[in-house]
Amino acid sequence: MKATLPTPHLRSFPSPTPLSFKLSFAFPETRRKSLSISSTPKGTPSPSLAYVPLRVTASSQAASAPTVNLTAIPTEMKAWVYGEYGGVDVLKLDEKVSVPEVKEDEVLIKVAAAALNPVDAKRRQGKFKATDSPLPTVPGYDVAGVVVKVGSQVKELKEGDEVYGNINEKALEGPRQFGSLAQYTTVEEKLLALKPKNLDFAQAAGLPLAIETAYEGLERTGFSSGKSILVLNGSGGVGSLVIQLAKQVFGASKVAATSSTGKLELLKSLGVDLAIDYTKENFEDLPEKFDVVFDAIGQCDRAVKAVKEGGSVVALTGAVTPPGFRFVVTSKGEVLKKLNLYLESGKVKPVVDPRGPFPFTQVDEAFSYIETNRATGKVVIHPIP
């Protein structure tokens, strides 16, 4: 049985010390303006799995689309595949995976970039095998690319459209056997949105699952203007977006967030009012309590001590302590369409880990990195040839 897969790529960006903000013009293949925040001395080598401080990029011009021949779709493709559950070593790059067939409500995407999420690793490890699709599996939830074929019932998207999305409507219930870590993947039209014009494919690929989790999680709490929030792991893929959405979309009165010492400036750059160094103080011991605590790290037992009476605690992972509640996202293209306005205006920015993007040939290394739990923002795979 054959499978399909795309791969992320991460770059490291050396920068001056001490920690500083600088506006710079970077001209890689994307030729984009970028606002960078970094704290690694120039010339410092980057060991394969060592932490490298983040660079936040706010692109003013999207990278050019990959060259796609809409009339010449191959029957086989390169994809990352695993045929058994286990560690990173079960991942294999297969060059003869069948390109998936397009159903009537789906589109076929030539994948330009993909991203990894903690759920990708948990799925590969077999932690929800009872509800998983059959093996072998091409992993990958997040995708950005170009539509090359549309099903008969597709209403809005057309060939040539640049799109992005989370290809699995339910993260833990029957995710697709053929994911985004491949040269081609199929997706239901309702799960996609047009890519924000100001973002390149690598930036867009890192958004879908994380930004949908952030937005829908905040909605579930009834979060609204004037309320306060504490975000645990504010420098992570979800946390960095919860901060921005709470402030820019929902109108939070105060945003607090936790991170390690080296990431406090990143939190402030994203709009955090109170940046908490978890290596030096316990957030639950602060006299101030919050309307909502968004636990993106698995510390619900501590999070419930920091919430106001009658408040809400969103728990994405780990054991749940009342009044906390478990939240698992449902992918919706409509959410991405709604948030495109904030992304294109620059009010909300993607945060891509500075070690990336990882090239497609190094998806296994990207998995190893994300499983260190040291990633900042999103781990992205790009380019996917």
Side-chain angles (χ1 to χ4, degrees), residues 309-322:
E309 185 175 351
S312 299
V313 177
V314 185
L316 299 186
T317 187
V320 177
T321 303

Side-chain angles (χ1 to χ4, degrees), residues 21-182:
F21 292 84
K22 68 172 184 177
L23 186 64
S24 63
F25 289 89
F27 295 99
E29 69 278 1
T30 54
R31 293 188 176 273
R32 62 178 183 257
K33 285 185 181 178
S34 61
L35 175 65
S36 69
I37 305 167
S38 49
S39 59
T40 303
K42 194 168 185 177
T44 299
S46 174
S48 60
L49 290 182
Y51 170 71
V52 180
L54 174 76
R55 180 169 181 169
V56 182
T57 58
S59 183
S60 63
Q61 179 178 346
S64 58
T67 302
V68 177
N69 185 339
L70 300 179
T71 62
I73 299 170
T75 58
E76 293 183 332
M77 64 180 180
K78 295 178 182 179
W80 283 86
V81 183
Y82 56 88
E84 60 180 321
Y85 294 115
V88 173
D89 59 318
V90 301
L91 288 162
K92 307 296 178 188
L93 180 56
D94 190 334
E95 297 189 0
K96 293 188 177 298
V97 176
S98 296
V99 173
E101 294 293 324
V102 180
K103 296 179 181 178
E104 61 182 16
D105 61 344
E106 297 178 341
V107 301
L108 179 67
I109 295 175
K110 172 62 187 76
V111 181
L116 295 186
N117 296 279
V119 69
D120 288 294
K122 293 176 181 177
R123 181 186 183 191
R124 194 205 66 236
Q125 293 162 359
K127 292 189 175 180
F128 54 95
K129 63 174 70 175
T131 57
D132 199 0
S133 55
L135 295 170
T137 296
V138 172
Y141 285 66
D142 288 327
V143 69
V146 179
V147 175
V148 294
K149 188 176 181 180
V150 299
S152 60
Q153 298 302 310
V154 170
K155 297 178 174 60
E156 297 180 11
L157 296 177
K158 61 185 183 302
E159 293 179 2
D161 281 344
E162 297 180 0
V163 296
Y164 75 128
N166 168 11
I167 70 172
N168 294 307
E169 184 172 15
K170 299 288 186 179
L172 307 180
E173 300 172 22
R176 285 176 175 267
Q177 185 178 10
F178 292 84
S180 61
L181 291 171

